[in-house]
Amino acid sequence: MRWSQFYLYTTREVPNDAEVVSHQLMMRAGMIRKAAAGIYTYLPLGWRSIMKMMDIVRREMDAAGAVELMMPAIHPAELWQETERWDAFGDLLLKIKDRNQRDFCFGPTHEEVVTDVVRRDVRSYRQLPLNLYQIQNKFRDEIRPRFGLMRAREFLMKDAYSFHAGADSLGETYEAMRAAYCRVFEDCRLEYSLVEAQSGTIGGSASHEFMVLAETGEDAVVSCPACGYAANVEKAEARPLAAAAAAGDQEELTEVSTPGATTISEVTDQLQVGADRLVKTLVYETEEGPVLALVRGDRDLNEAKLASYLGAQRLTMAGDEVVRRVTGAPVGFAGPVGLSPEIRRVGDQSIRQSSNFVVGANKADAHFTGVNWGRDVDLSEWTDLLLVTGGDGCPRCDGTLELHRGIEVGHIFKLGTKYSEAMECTYLDDQGKSHPMTMGCYGLGIGRTVAAAIEQNHDEDGIIWPLPLAPYEVLVIALNTRDEQVVELADRLYDQLQEQGSEVLYDDRDERPGVKFKDADLIGIPVRLVIGAKSLAGGQVEVSLRRDREKILVPIENAVERVLELLAG
Ligand code: ATP
Ligand code: MG
């Protein structure tokens, strides 16, 4: 492709809403253009990398035995009502009406549609297992679309759904898909890790995420260097914590004055105790009413664990008004002592052995010290609510967990029968008995993975494409397009490389060398071939790799061969 005939406009300006480097570089390199928050045009250069990514995914999905189809972007409300996700999906679901005022949504995921397809065609265990996939635009009305293609509202996803007669068959396909995902991310030359994950609103029993480790990742993962245990912090477990406060004789329950102490550090300062001696009481609202959750004062509560323990579809931190109604006190002074037993309360298991601890007194400017379970507080529900962090003990061995940030590029789930039961997607076994199909689902973000590849492969001057995702393999630069000899040779080498099957972008623009080199660094094409008057005089051209930019002078007649060698290596 001749640059002069292509559609590629780079810019020096960094848009001020572009917080992460992949977003900045994709904008500057003329790969994407924002139409609205989280909604982008893939410009021709960007689209080429996206298509490469889709090709890799398609190849691995086909090799894993999945079958491609294409489902609609717009879904009728009735299907989402069958699974009750029309409401449960919340504001992420973009709802629309047609001219007859019928309800539709823009599909954020396709469990409902694919299950509706399969329940109409499949009757017998003999037709199973099945694995269907598509690469398609999703829409999720994300609260904070940001980071360009990484958290967009409209974005391309590869989503696959498998259907089985029983859990063993699902297990086999799940393994095959896990292996296929590993090959995809290896093919992209990405450094990634596979972590245990929370199933979230999709539901189901087991799930794993593929994380590209990067400072700018929105997810936090912990891993144990000793045994390899790795999990998203939403899901991670840790070895039980030491109890808050030393065991010993029970102290007296005492109300103490703590004027204005609404934060943990204010309470610990005023009472001169460590934060691990405090038990904090958090008030949440759920669709079943308010719930109190208790966790050690120096630690955070994991809301995903609480929601999944409660089976709550909606879980939000209660506002001032609800806190006052439930506890009778302003925010900051909630505690479990003396509250109506009607209010559900759940304790994190790591404070179960605690004694003589401090809690809010349910009135302004007061706390209790010397609090003990049983005598002062009746708590019957205990579960793991801890948000695990770096330095916690590994739950599988005696190692210590490390904390990293990651970008979730893929997520695979064992769904079980949640959707097939709700939608009556059944099969007959060899005895003629009917069962709901067991399902799996497998998502992979196309744009997010390309963005993650840039996060891992760039320098201060621009992108350094891993060859498999590069929009072009070779950039031929004619340094002075007013020099006929230069143009003649550059044209010839461009033609020859194309004949050899290379994907070549040819910078034939009438621009200064400085501009061409800056653009070359920015768009990051892996191999560069520069033709200028100076080297030409010596019968040579310059070949280099974007990765190290080390220039090699090559005799003109060997230039094509040298470029092909570099591409092969
Ligand atoms: P997240 O936790 O990041 O919101 P998710 O868990 O909701 O993602 P899934 O439903 O598992 O995402 O979707 C499968 C894949 O689709 C993700 O692993 C990710 O690569 C991609 N993806 C999800 N949401 C977005 C988005 N807003 N923009 C770009 N890609 C996305
Ligand atoms: Mg996910």
Side-chain angles (χ1 to χ4, degrees), residues 222 239 299 388-394 399-403:
V222 288
R239 262 204 314 280
R299 297 302 300 258
V388 173
T389 185
D392 282 347
C394 174
T400 303
L401 296 174
E402 288 176 356
L403 184 68

Side-chain angles (χ1 to χ4, degrees), residues 197-388:
Q198 178 86 21
S199 304
T201 51
I202 300 258
S205 58
S207 89
H208 288 89
E209 285 167 340
F210 291 78
M211 291 283 181
V212 167
L213 299 182
E215 288 286 307
T216 49
E218 289 183 286
D219 283 274
V221 296
V222 288
S223 61
C224 173
C227 72
Y229 170 75
N232 191 314
V233 292
E234 287 181 352
K235 162 80 194 267
E237 300 156 41
R239 262 204 314 280
L241 293 177
D249 289 345
Q250 286 196 350
E251 293 166 9
E252 225 172 284
L253 178 71
T254 312
E255 186 184 312
V256 292
S257 162
T258 50
T262 57
T263 66
I264 295 291
S265 67
E266 283 161 349
V267 178
T268 57
D269 281 355
Q270 289 193 17
L271 300 181
Q272 290 297 300
V273 295
D276 62 344
R277 297 276 314 273
L278 268 54
V279 166
K280 56 183 173 191
T281 305
L282 305 164
V283 186
Y284 284 95
E285 281 185 87
T286 72
E287 68 270 18
E288 308 274 325
V291 175
L292 300 187
L294 286 79
V295 63
R296 210 171 80 175
D298 59 338
R299 297 302 300 258
D300 289 326
L301 177 130
N302 182 331
E303 294 185 352
K305 285 184 182 174
L306 180 61
S308 115
Y309 171 78
L310 297 170
Q313 299 281 3
R314 230 163 296 150
L315 182 85
T316 51
M317 204 71 174
D320 207 28
E321 203 181 307
V322 175
V323 172
R324 264 178 205 278
R325 180 158 50 77
V326 173
T327 69
V331 170
F333 299 97
V337 180
L339 280 185
S340 148
E342 253 134 64
I343 296 161
R344 189 165 175 192
R345 57 202 85 176
V346 187
D348 173 44
Q349 63 190 17
S350 67
I351 50 172
R352 198 166 182 174
Q353 306 306 324
S354 301
S355 58
N356 299 328
F357 47 89
V358 177
V359 300
N362 295 326
K363 60 176 164 178
D365 304 332
H367 280 75
F368 283 122
T369 62
V371 184
N372 287 278
W373 304 120
R375 187 192 69 184
D376 309 317
V377 190
D378 220 3
L379 199 73
S380 54
E381 292 190 70
W382 296 98
T383 186
D384 171 24
L385 294 177
L386 194 71
L387 186 71
V388 173

Side-chain angles (χ1 to χ4, degrees), residues 108-109 140 142 148-158 202 209-210 218-219 234 408-411 413 442-449:
T109 178
R140 295 183 183 178
E142 302 274 0
L149 299 190
M150 236 190 275
R151 183 163 300 283
R153 292 198 293 171
E154 183 175 311
F155 60 96
L156 277 166
M157 193 202 289
K158 186 286 300 172
I202 300 258
E209 285 167 340
F210 291 78
E218 289 183 286
D219 283 274
E234 287 181 352
E408 180 206 312
V409 286
H411 196 166
F413 301 82
Y442 317 87
L444 192 154
I446 300 291
R448 191 183 281 186
T449 305

